[in-house]
Amino acid sequence: MTEILSALLLLGGIEDPNGNPPTTKAMAEAFEQLFDFHFNSIYDCQGELYRRKPCNLTKTLDAMKGALMKEYKRKENGKKY
């Protein structure tokens, strides 16, 4: 879950009601409510993630971006004006 949360934060594009990017803490709280679990400390979890994956930190992010772009293009091509 930490990888997904971190990737979504790094992707950007998610905004709070004021149009600002959400804080890490706010995103973690949303994930906790949505998936019914608890991060002990999101900042510690992210630190462990970065220590565990010293290289290719963006592999998950790149895969998610590729999948999102593919879906976006598929939907754009299917739209009728």
Side-chain angles (χ1 to χ4, degrees), residues 5 8 12-14 16 19 21 24 26-28 30-31 34-35 42-43 45-48 51-52 57 67 73 80-81:
L5 183 132
L8 288 172
I14 298 175
D16 67 10
T24 300
M27 281 287 288
F31 265 56
L34 184 64
F35 298 109
I42 186 58
Y43 300 109
C45 291
Q46 283 183 323
E48 290 176 26
R51 278 191 298 278
R52 191 174 73 234
L57 286 176
K73 287 178 183 177
K80 295 179 181 171
Y81 295 96

Side-chain angles (χ1 to χ4, degrees), residues 1 10 15 19 23 28 38-40 43 57:
M1 292 307 263
L10 292 172
E15 298 176 345
T23 63
H38 184 70
F39 288 111
N40 289 332
Y43 300 109
L57 286 176

Side-chain angles (χ1 to χ4, degrees), residues 72-81:
Y72 174 77
K73 287 178 183 177
R74 186 185 68 78
K75 286 185 177 185
E76 282 294 309
N77 290 333
K79 277 188 178 177
K80 295 179 181 171
Y81 295 96

